[in-house]
Short mmCIF file of all heavy atoms in Angstrom, two decimals:
data_model
loop_
_atom_site.label_atom_id
_atom_site.label_comp_id
_atom_site.label_asym_id
_atom_site.label_seq_id
_atom_site.Cartn_x
_atom_site.Cartn_y
_atom_site.Cartn_z
N LEU A 49 205.95 52.02 27.82
CA LEU A 49 205.83 52.19 29.19
C LEU A 49 206.49 53.43 29.71
O LEU A 49 207.32 53.96 29.14
CB LEU A 49 206.65 50.92 29.76
CG LEU A 49 206.03 49.57 29.43
CD1 LEU A 49 206.92 48.45 29.88
CD2 LEU A 49 204.69 49.26 30.01
N GLY A 50 205.86 53.77 30.78
CA GLY A 50 206.47 55.09 31.42
C GLY A 50 205.87 55.27 32.87
O GLY A 50 205.47 54.40 33.35
N ALA A 51 205.92 56.56 33.24
CA ALA A 51 205.44 56.94 34.44
C ALA A 51 204.40 58.06 34.29
O ALA A 51 204.62 58.80 33.39
CB ALA A 51 206.48 57.28 35.34
N THR A 52 203.48 58.19 35.21
CA THR A 52 202.36 59.29 35.11
C THR A 52 202.41 59.84 36.52
O THR A 52 202.37 59.13 37.53
CB THR A 52 201.11 58.72 34.67
OG1 THR A 52 201.32 58.10 33.45
CG2 THR A 52 200.04 59.90 34.64
N ALA A 53 202.06 61.17 36.69
CA ALA A 53 201.94 61.76 37.97
C ALA A 53 200.79 62.80 37.86
O ALA A 53 200.61 63.50 36.90
CB ALA A 53 203.10 62.50 38.52
N PHE A 54 199.96 62.85 38.89
CA PHE A 54 198.85 63.89 38.97
C PHE A 54 199.00 64.54 40.42
O PHE A 54 199.28 63.91 41.29
CB PHE A 54 197.48 63.18 38.91
CG PHE A 54 197.22 62.84 37.53
CD1 PHE A 54 197.40 61.43 37.09
CD2 PHE A 54 196.68 63.71 36.55
CE1 PHE A 54 197.15 61.03 35.78
CE2 PHE A 54 196.37 63.19 35.27
CZ PHE A 54 196.61 61.90 34.95
N GLY A 55 198.66 65.71 40.43
CA GLY A 55 198.68 66.49 41.72
C GLY A 55 198.32 67.97 41.53
O GLY A 55 198.10 68.45 40.44
N GLU A 56 198.37 68.67 42.71
CA GLU A 56 198.15 70.13 42.57
C GLU A 56 199.54 70.86 42.74
O GLU A 56 200.29 70.53 43.51
CB GLU A 56 197.24 70.44 43.85
CG GLU A 56 196.02 69.82 43.97
CD GLU A 56 195.24 70.16 45.15
OE1 GLU A 56 195.46 71.14 45.81
OE2 GLU A 56 194.30 69.34 45.52
N LEU A 57 199.72 71.86 41.90
CA LEU A 57 200.82 72.60 41.89
C LEU A 57 200.68 73.85 42.84
O LEU A 57 201.73 74.23 43.43
CB LEU A 57 201.08 73.23 40.48
CG LEU A 57 201.56 72.22 39.47
CD1 LEU A 57 201.68 72.93 38.12
CD2 LEU A 57 202.83 71.47 39.85
N GLY A 58 199.49 74.24 43.14
CA GLY A 58 199.29 75.34 44.09
C GLY A 58 199.18 76.64 43.42
O GLY A 58 198.70 76.65 42.17
N SER A 59 199.45 77.70 44.02
CA SER A 59 199.28 79.00 43.54
C SER A 59 200.65 79.72 43.54
O SER A 59 201.62 79.23 43.92
CB SER A 59 198.28 79.85 44.35
OG SER A 59 198.88 80.03 45.67
N GLY A 60 200.72 80.99 43.16
CA GLY A 60 201.76 81.72 43.07
C GLY A 60 202.29 82.04 44.45
O GLY A 60 203.62 82.34 44.75
N ARG A 61 201.45 82.18 45.49
CA ARG A 61 201.85 82.43 46.80
C ARG A 61 202.37 81.16 47.63
O ARG A 61 203.09 81.29 48.47
CB ARG A 61 200.61 82.90 47.65
CG ARG A 61 200.23 84.28 47.20
CD ARG A 61 199.10 84.70 48.03
NE ARG A 61 198.66 86.09 47.55
CZ ARG A 61 197.87 86.84 48.18
NH1 ARG A 61 197.33 86.56 49.37
NH2 ARG A 61 197.50 87.99 47.68
N ARG A 62 201.87 79.97 47.20
CA ARG A 62 202.13 78.81 47.84
C ARG A 62 202.44 77.55 46.82
O ARG A 62 201.42 77.04 46.33
CB ARG A 62 201.30 78.31 48.86
CG ARG A 62 201.76 77.15 49.65
CD ARG A 62 200.87 76.92 50.85
NE ARG A 62 201.51 75.79 51.46
CZ ARG A 62 200.96 75.15 52.63
NH1 ARG A 62 199.66 75.61 53.00
NH2 ARG A 62 201.37 74.18 53.14
N LEU A 63 203.53 77.27 46.43
CA LEU A 63 203.82 76.18 45.42
C LEU A 63 203.84 74.84 46.16
O LEU A 63 204.35 74.69 47.16
CB LEU A 63 205.07 76.53 44.73
CG LEU A 63 205.48 75.66 43.49
CD1 LEU A 63 204.43 75.84 42.47
CD2 LEU A 63 206.88 76.02 43.02
N PHE A 64 203.19 73.82 45.42
CA PHE A 64 203.07 72.49 46.09
C PHE A 64 202.47 72.43 47.50
O PHE A 64 203.15 72.14 48.47
CB PHE A 64 204.47 71.79 46.03
CG PHE A 64 205.22 71.78 44.78
CD1 PHE A 64 206.28 72.44 44.49
CD2 PHE A 64 204.63 70.99 43.76
CE1 PHE A 64 206.91 72.31 43.21
CE2 PHE A 64 205.13 70.84 42.55
CZ PHE A 64 206.31 71.50 42.31
N PRO A 65 201.20 72.82 47.57
CA PRO A 65 200.59 72.77 48.91
C PRO A 65 200.35 71.29 49.28
O PRO A 65 200.70 70.45 48.58
CB PRO A 65 199.20 73.44 48.63
CG PRO A 65 199.01 73.09 47.17
CD PRO A 65 200.20 73.12 46.50
N TYR A 66 199.89 71.14 50.57
CA TYR A 66 199.55 69.74 51.03
C TYR A 66 198.30 69.30 50.36
O TYR A 66 197.33 69.08 51.04
CB TYR A 66 199.45 69.86 52.44
CG TYR A 66 200.80 70.22 53.09
CD1 TYR A 66 200.97 71.46 53.71
CD2 TYR A 66 201.73 69.34 53.24
CE1 TYR A 66 201.98 71.80 54.46
CE2 TYR A 66 203.02 69.82 53.89
CZ TYR A 66 203.14 71.01 54.36
OH TYR A 66 204.25 71.60 54.95
N GLY A 67 198.37 69.00 49.03
CA GLY A 67 197.29 68.53 48.33
C GLY A 67 197.40 67.00 48.02
O GLY A 67 198.30 66.37 48.63
N GLU A 68 196.63 66.50 47.09
CA GLU A 68 196.60 65.11 46.84
C GLU A 68 197.55 64.86 45.67
O GLU A 68 197.33 65.61 44.61
CB GLU A 68 195.16 64.70 46.56
CG GLU A 68 194.27 64.77 47.70
CD GLU A 68 192.96 64.14 47.54
OE1 GLU A 68 192.59 63.98 46.46
OE2 GLU A 68 192.08 64.07 48.59
N HIS A 69 198.45 63.91 45.71
CA HIS A 69 199.25 63.73 44.75
C HIS A 69 199.17 62.21 44.31
O HIS A 69 199.05 61.36 45.27
CB HIS A 69 200.79 64.15 45.04
CG HIS A 69 200.85 65.46 45.31
ND1 HIS A 69 200.82 66.55 44.42
CD2 HIS A 69 200.98 66.17 46.51
CE1 HIS A 69 200.95 67.66 44.98
NE2 HIS A 69 200.96 67.58 46.18
N TYR A 70 199.38 61.75 43.15
CA TYR A 70 199.39 60.43 42.71
C TYR A 70 200.57 60.11 41.83
O TYR A 70 200.81 61.05 40.87
CB TYR A 70 198.12 60.05 41.97
CG TYR A 70 196.87 60.08 42.88
CD1 TYR A 70 196.16 61.24 43.03
CD2 TYR A 70 196.48 59.05 43.71
CE1 TYR A 70 195.04 61.36 43.92
CE2 TYR A 70 195.31 59.06 44.42
CZ TYR A 70 194.72 60.25 44.49
OH TYR A 70 193.58 60.40 45.42
N PHE A 71 201.19 59.05 41.80
CA PHE A 71 202.27 58.72 40.96
C PHE A 71 202.39 57.13 40.63
O PHE A 71 202.04 56.41 41.57
CB PHE A 71 203.57 59.08 41.65
CG PHE A 71 204.92 58.74 40.81
CD1 PHE A 71 205.22 59.57 39.75
CD2 PHE A 71 205.57 57.68 41.03
CE1 PHE A 71 206.28 59.32 38.95
CE2 PHE A 71 206.78 57.42 40.27
CZ PHE A 71 207.03 58.18 39.27
N GLY A 72 202.65 56.85 39.47
CA GLY A 72 202.82 55.37 39.10
C GLY A 72 203.03 55.04 37.66
O GLY A 72 203.15 55.88 36.89
N PRO A 73 203.12 53.66 37.52
CA PRO A 73 203.46 53.26 36.08
C PRO A 73 202.33 53.37 35.19
O PRO A 73 201.18 53.32 35.63
CB PRO A 73 203.79 51.76 36.21
CG PRO A 73 203.04 51.33 37.43
CD PRO A 73 203.05 52.56 38.30
N SER A 74 202.57 53.53 33.83
CA SER A 74 201.53 53.63 32.78
C SER A 74 202.09 52.96 31.58
O SER A 74 203.19 52.79 31.29
CB SER A 74 201.12 55.11 32.66
OG SER A 74 202.23 55.85 32.09
N ALA A 75 201.07 52.64 30.68
CA ALA A 75 201.53 52.08 29.33
C ALA A 75 200.46 52.72 28.33
O ALA A 75 199.30 52.98 28.52
CB ALA A 75 201.23 50.57 29.50
N LYS A 76 201.03 52.86 27.08
CA LYS A 76 200.23 53.31 26.01
C LYS A 76 200.36 52.28 24.88
O LYS A 76 201.43 51.74 24.60
CB LYS A 76 200.83 54.69 25.47
CG LYS A 76 200.70 55.84 26.38
CD LYS A 76 201.06 57.10 25.75
CE LYS A 76 200.99 58.31 26.79
NZ LYS A 76 201.41 59.53 26.20
N LEU A 77 199.32 51.99 24.21
CA LEU A 77 199.17 51.01 23.12
C LEU A 77 198.26 51.49 21.99
O LEU A 77 197.26 52.12 22.21
CB LEU A 77 198.75 49.77 23.71
CG LEU A 77 198.56 48.65 22.83
CD1 LEU A 77 199.79 48.00 22.40
CD2 LEU A 77 197.75 47.52 23.60
N ARG A 78 198.69 51.32 20.74
CA ARG A 78 197.87 51.58 19.61
C ARG A 78 197.43 50.27 18.95
O ARG A 78 198.34 49.60 18.47
CB ARG A 78 198.56 52.59 18.65
CG ARG A 78 197.74 52.98 17.42
CD ARG A 78 198.48 53.98 16.59
NE ARG A 78 198.64 55.20 17.27
CZ ARG A 78 199.15 56.35 16.99
NH1 ARG A 78 199.81 56.36 15.74
NH2 ARG A 78 199.30 57.42 17.71
N VAL A 79 196.14 50.04 18.61
CA VAL A 79 195.73 48.84 18.06
C VAL A 79 194.93 49.07 16.75
O VAL A 79 193.96 50.01 16.84
CB VAL A 79 194.69 48.18 19.14
CG1 VAL A 79 194.25 46.78 18.38
CG2 VAL A 79 195.48 47.79 20.40
N PRO A 80 195.34 48.52 15.72
CA PRO A 80 194.45 48.78 14.48
C PRO A 80 193.13 48.10 14.54
O PRO A 80 193.09 47.00 15.07
CB PRO A 80 195.46 48.06 13.35
CG PRO A 80 196.78 47.79 13.93
CD PRO A 80 196.49 47.68 15.44
N LEU A 81 192.14 48.84 14.22
CA LEU A 81 190.79 48.30 14.39
C LEU A 81 189.86 48.72 13.35
O LEU A 81 189.60 49.96 13.08
CB LEU A 81 190.26 48.75 15.73
CG LEU A 81 188.84 48.30 16.08
CD1 LEU A 81 188.84 46.73 16.36
CD2 LEU A 81 188.31 48.89 17.37
N ALA A 82 189.63 47.83 12.26
CA ALA A 82 188.62 48.03 11.13
C ALA A 82 189.21 49.28 10.33
O ALA A 82 188.22 50.15 10.12
CB ALA A 82 187.27 48.27 11.76
N GLY A 83 190.37 49.41 9.96
CA GLY A 83 190.87 50.69 9.23
C GLY A 83 191.05 51.93 10.08
O GLY A 83 191.23 52.99 9.65
N HIS A 84 190.87 51.80 11.43
CA HIS A 84 191.04 52.99 12.29
C HIS A 84 192.11 52.50 13.39
O HIS A 84 192.47 51.31 13.46
CB HIS A 84 189.76 53.34 13.01
CG HIS A 84 188.64 53.78 12.10
ND1 HIS A 84 188.64 54.89 11.34
CD2 HIS A 84 187.60 53.09 11.60
CE1 HIS A 84 187.59 55.01 10.58
NE2 HIS A 84 186.82 53.86 10.83
N ASN A 85 192.48 53.48 14.23
CA ASN A 85 193.36 53.16 15.29
C ASN A 85 192.78 53.31 16.62
O ASN A 85 192.04 54.32 16.92
CB ASN A 85 194.59 54.02 15.18
CG ASN A 85 195.62 53.59 14.23
OD1 ASN A 85 195.90 52.47 13.96
ND2 ASN A 85 196.23 54.59 13.46
N LEU A 86 192.84 52.22 17.55
CA LEU A 86 192.36 52.48 18.94
C LEU A 86 193.48 52.78 19.74
O LEU A 86 194.42 51.91 19.74
CB LEU A 86 191.52 51.10 19.34
CG LEU A 86 191.00 51.13 20.80
CD1 LEU A 86 190.11 52.32 21.06
CD2 LEU A 86 190.52 49.82 21.18
N ARG A 87 193.59 53.85 20.53
CA ARG A 87 194.66 54.18 21.29
C ARG A 87 194.15 53.96 22.70
O ARG A 87 193.11 54.38 23.25
CB ARG A 87 195.00 55.59 21.20
CG ARG A 87 195.70 55.94 19.83
CD ARG A 87 195.98 57.43 19.76
NE ARG A 87 196.96 57.88 20.84
CZ ARG A 87 197.22 59.07 21.09
NH1 ARG A 87 196.63 60.06 20.45
NH2 ARG A 87 198.02 59.37 22.14
N ILE A 88 195.01 53.21 23.52
CA ILE A 88 194.63 52.77 24.97
C ILE A 88 195.76 53.34 25.78
O ILE A 88 197.08 53.15 25.47
CB ILE A 88 194.70 51.37 25.07
CG1 ILE A 88 193.55 50.64 24.18
CG2 ILE A 88 194.39 50.86 26.49
CD1 ILE A 88 193.60 49.30 24.02
N GLU A 89 195.50 54.01 26.81
CA GLU A 89 196.31 54.46 27.94
C GLU A 89 195.90 54.02 29.25
O GLU A 89 194.67 54.28 29.55
CB GLU A 89 196.51 55.88 27.81
CG GLU A 89 197.59 56.52 28.68
CD GLU A 89 197.75 57.95 28.59
OE1 GLU A 89 197.33 58.57 27.60
OE2 GLU A 89 198.37 58.57 29.49
N THR A 90 196.66 53.27 29.95
CA THR A 90 196.24 52.77 31.12
C THR A 90 197.37 52.88 32.27
O THR A 90 198.54 52.93 31.85
CB THR A 90 195.81 51.39 31.07
OG1 THR A 90 195.14 50.89 32.38
CG2 THR A 90 196.96 50.32 30.57
N GLY A 91 197.02 52.76 33.48
CA GLY A 91 198.03 52.83 34.49
C GLY A 91 197.44 52.73 35.93
O GLY A 91 196.24 52.83 36.12
N TYR A 92 198.32 52.37 36.99
CA TYR A 92 197.89 52.40 38.42
C TYR A 92 198.69 53.64 38.99
O TYR A 92 199.89 53.54 38.94
CB TYR A 92 198.06 51.18 39.04
CG TYR A 92 197.71 51.10 40.45
CD1 TYR A 92 196.38 50.97 40.75
CD2 TYR A 92 198.60 51.45 41.51
CE1 TYR A 92 195.86 51.03 41.90
CE2 TYR A 92 198.15 51.45 42.72
CZ TYR A 92 196.67 51.19 43.02
OH TYR A 92 196.28 51.25 44.29
N LEU A 93 198.01 54.40 39.70
CA LEU A 93 198.62 55.50 40.37
C LEU A 93 198.61 55.35 41.94
O LEU A 93 197.48 55.18 42.39
CB LEU A 93 198.09 56.90 39.99
CG LEU A 93 198.08 57.16 38.52
CD1 LEU A 93 197.33 58.43 38.28
CD2 LEU A 93 199.41 57.28 37.97
N PHE A 94 199.70 55.32 42.53
CA PHE A 94 199.79 55.16 44.03
C PHE A 94 199.56 56.58 44.61
O PHE A 94 199.98 57.62 44.24
CB PHE A 94 201.06 54.64 44.51
CG PHE A 94 201.41 53.34 43.86
CD1 PHE A 94 202.15 53.08 42.83
CD2 PHE A 94 200.96 52.13 44.60
CE1 PHE A 94 202.35 51.87 42.31
CE2 PHE A 94 201.19 50.86 44.01
CZ PHE A 94 201.93 50.80 42.92
N ALA A 95 198.66 56.53 45.67
CA ALA A 95 198.40 57.71 46.50
C ALA A 95 199.54 58.09 47.25
O ALA A 95 200.31 57.35 47.89
CB ALA A 95 197.24 57.53 47.34
N ILE A 96 199.99 59.44 47.26
CA ILE A 96 201.14 60.01 48.01
C ILE A 96 200.61 61.12 48.92
O ILE A 96 199.80 61.89 48.53
CB ILE A 96 202.12 60.46 46.90
CG1 ILE A 96 202.60 59.39 46.05
CG2 ILE A 96 203.38 61.12 47.61
CD1 ILE A 96 203.51 59.87 44.86
N ALA A 97 201.23 61.20 49.99
CA ALA A 97 200.93 62.38 51.01
C ALA A 97 199.46 62.39 51.48
O ALA A 97 198.97 61.31 51.78
CB ALA A 97 201.43 63.66 50.39
N LYS A 98 198.79 63.51 51.43
CA LYS A 98 197.46 63.51 51.93
C LYS A 98 196.46 62.68 51.19
O LYS A 98 195.48 62.44 51.68
CB LYS A 98 197.04 65.08 51.85
CG LYS A 98 195.83 65.32 52.45
CD LYS A 98 195.54 66.94 52.32
CE LYS A 98 194.11 67.24 53.11
NZ LYS A 98 193.81 68.49 52.99
N ALA A 99 196.66 62.35 49.93
CA ALA A 99 195.82 61.58 49.17
C ALA A 99 195.62 60.12 49.87
O ALA A 99 194.60 59.44 49.70
CB ALA A 99 196.30 61.37 47.78
N ARG A 100 196.65 59.74 50.50
CA ARG A 100 196.60 58.47 51.27
C ARG A 100 195.38 58.37 52.30
O ARG A 100 195.03 57.26 52.68
CB ARG A 100 197.91 57.99 51.86
CG ARG A 100 198.92 57.96 50.85
CD ARG A 100 200.41 57.77 51.38
NE ARG A 100 200.48 56.39 51.90
CZ ARG A 100 201.46 56.07 52.81
NH1 ARG A 100 202.43 57.02 53.05
NH2 ARG A 100 201.50 54.84 53.23
N ASP A 101 194.93 59.60 52.65
CA ASP A 101 193.86 59.54 53.72
C ASP A 101 192.61 59.14 53.05
O ASP A 101 191.73 58.59 53.82
CB ASP A 101 193.67 60.99 54.31
CG ASP A 101 194.82 61.44 55.05
OD1 ASP A 101 195.71 60.61 55.51
OD2 ASP A 101 195.11 62.70 55.28
N ASP A 102 192.37 59.36 51.78
CA ASP A 102 191.13 58.89 51.12
C ASP A 102 191.16 57.77 50.37
O ASP A 102 190.19 57.09 50.01
CB ASP A 102 190.75 60.10 50.28
CG ASP A 102 190.42 61.39 51.02
OD1 ASP A 102 190.01 61.33 52.20
OD2 ASP A 102 190.73 62.52 50.48
N ALA A 103 192.38 57.29 49.72
CA ALA A 103 192.54 56.28 48.75
C ALA A 103 193.90 55.68 48.88
O ALA A 103 194.83 56.30 49.26
CB ALA A 103 192.05 56.67 47.43
N ARG A 104 193.91 54.46 48.45
CA ARG A 104 195.34 53.73 48.29
C ARG A 104 195.86 54.09 47.00
O ARG A 104 197.05 54.05 46.72
CB ARG A 104 195.15 52.29 48.33
CG ARG A 104 194.78 51.84 49.83
CD ARG A 104 194.65 50.31 49.88
NE ARG A 104 194.30 49.97 51.21
CZ ARG A 104 194.32 48.85 51.66
NH1 ARG A 104 194.70 47.80 50.85
NH2 ARG A 104 193.94 48.50 52.80
N GLY A 105 195.04 54.40 45.87
CA GLY A 105 195.39 54.64 44.62
C GLY A 105 194.34 54.81 43.60
O GLY A 105 193.03 54.87 44.05
N GLN A 106 194.66 54.88 42.31
CA GLN A 106 193.72 54.99 41.25
C GLN A 106 194.04 54.13 40.07
O GLN A 106 195.34 54.00 39.64
CB GLN A 106 193.63 56.50 40.72
CG GLN A 106 193.37 57.54 41.68
CD GLN A 106 193.26 58.94 41.04
OE1 GLN A 106 193.80 59.09 39.94
NE2 GLN A 106 192.90 59.95 41.65
N ILE A 107 193.08 53.60 39.40
CA ILE A 107 193.24 53.00 38.14
C ILE A 107 192.77 53.85 37.12
O ILE A 107 191.65 54.32 37.17
CB ILE A 107 192.64 51.61 38.16
CG1 ILE A 107 193.08 50.60 39.12
CG2 ILE A 107 192.72 50.96 36.85
CD1 ILE A 107 192.36 49.33 39.23
N ARG A 108 193.56 54.13 36.17
CA ARG A 108 193.25 55.02 35.07
C ARG A 108 193.27 54.28 33.87
O ARG A 108 193.91 53.49 33.36
CB ARG A 108 194.29 56.16 34.94
CG ARG A 108 194.38 57.05 36.17
CD ARG A 108 193.78 58.30 35.72
NE ARG A 108 193.74 59.24 37.03
CZ ARG A 108 193.21 60.40 36.87
NH1 ARG A 108 192.95 60.94 35.69
NH2 ARG A 108 193.25 61.17 38.01
N LEU A 109 192.29 54.61 32.92
CA LEU A 109 191.93 53.95 31.63
C LEU A 109 191.41 55.08 30.76
O LEU A 109 190.34 55.64 30.96
CB LEU A 109 191.04 52.79 31.80
CG LEU A 109 190.75 52.09 30.35
CD1 LEU A 109 191.90 51.50 29.74
CD2 LEU A 109 189.60 51.03 30.56
N ASN A 110 192.17 55.26 29.59
CA ASN A 110 191.73 56.18 28.55
C ASN A 110 191.73 55.42 27.16
O ASN A 110 192.57 54.83 26.79
CB ASN A 110 192.76 57.44 28.50
CG ASN A 110 192.34 58.49 27.53
OD1 ASN A 110 191.03 58.60 27.26
ND2 ASN A 110 193.30 59.13 26.97
N LEU A 111 190.51 55.57 26.48
CA LEU A 111 190.34 54.95 25.22
C LEU A 111 190.00 55.97 24.27
O LEU A 111 189.19 56.93 24.46
CB LEU A 111 189.13 54.05 25.20
CG LEU A 111 189.38 52.74 26.22
CD1 LEU A 111 188.04 51.92 26.25
CD2 LEU A 111 190.47 51.96 25.89
N GLU A 112 190.68 56.03 23.16
CA GLU A 112 190.46 56.94 22.08
C GLU A 112 190.45 56.29 20.72
O GLU A 112 191.43 55.53 20.35
CB GLU A 112 191.71 58.04 22.11
CG GLU A 112 191.50 59.14 21.16
CD GLU A 112 192.61 60.17 21.25
OE1 GLU A 112 193.00 60.32 22.51
OE2 GLU A 112 192.96 60.61 20.27
N LEU A 113 189.49 56.46 19.92
CA LEU A 113 189.24 55.96 18.52
C LEU A 113 189.62 56.89 17.54
O LEU A 113 188.91 57.93 17.42
CB LEU A 113 187.80 55.27 18.24
CG LEU A 113 187.58 54.58 16.94
CD1 LEU A 113 188.61 53.41 16.83
CD2 LEU A 113 186.22 54.26 16.80
N GLU A 114 190.72 56.81 16.82
CA GLU A 114 191.06 57.64 15.77
C GLU A 114 190.40 57.37 14.40
O GLU A 114 190.62 56.25 14.01
CB GLU A 114 192.63 57.70 15.50
CG GLU A 114 193.34 58.07 16.84
CD GLU A 114 194.84 57.95 16.63
OE1 GLU A 114 195.23 57.28 15.55
OE2 GLU A 114 195.58 58.54 17.48
N MET A 115 189.68 58.27 13.94
CA MET A 115 188.94 58.01 12.57
C MET A 115 189.44 58.89 11.50
O MET A 115 189.97 59.87 11.66
CB MET A 115 187.45 58.24 12.76
CG MET A 115 186.91 57.31 13.84
SD MET A 115 185.05 57.73 13.90
CE MET A 115 184.48 56.16 13.96
#
């Protein structure tokens, strides 16, 4: 279990612009599957600042099969 954050860092002239930022809890899990490993990463990210104009948040799901 942990935390995940996504957003825009900006440029050298302007660090942390008024961009879209997301932050929230996440979980990683490794499941043995037929002699291979299935890695699952999931989380819910809450919209922060300007991102709240377009969405309340994001559900993220990443699946990876290690062979």
Side-chain angles (χ1 to χ4, degrees):
L49 294 173
T52 303
F54 288 96
E56 298 177 24
L57 291 178
S59 65
R61 293 182 183 194
R62 184 168 181 191
L63 190 60
F64 301 114
Y66 296 106
E68 296 183 346
H69 302 284
Y70 296 88
F71 179 81
S74 64
K76 293 182 181 181
L77 179 66
R78 183 176 291 176
V79 179
L81 182 67
H84 304 288
N85 285 320
L86 176 63
R87 292 179 58 194
I88 303 168
E89 184 175 343
T90 186
Y92 183 81
L93 304 178
F94 297 94
I96 300 172
K98 189 176 179 182
R100 296 173 73 193
D101 295 341
D102 299 326
R104 291 184 186 186
Q106 297 179 351
I107 295 175
R108 296 257 175 172
L109 176 64
N110 183 29
L111 302 173
E112 184 177 323
L113 182 61
E114 297 177 350
M115 300 180 132

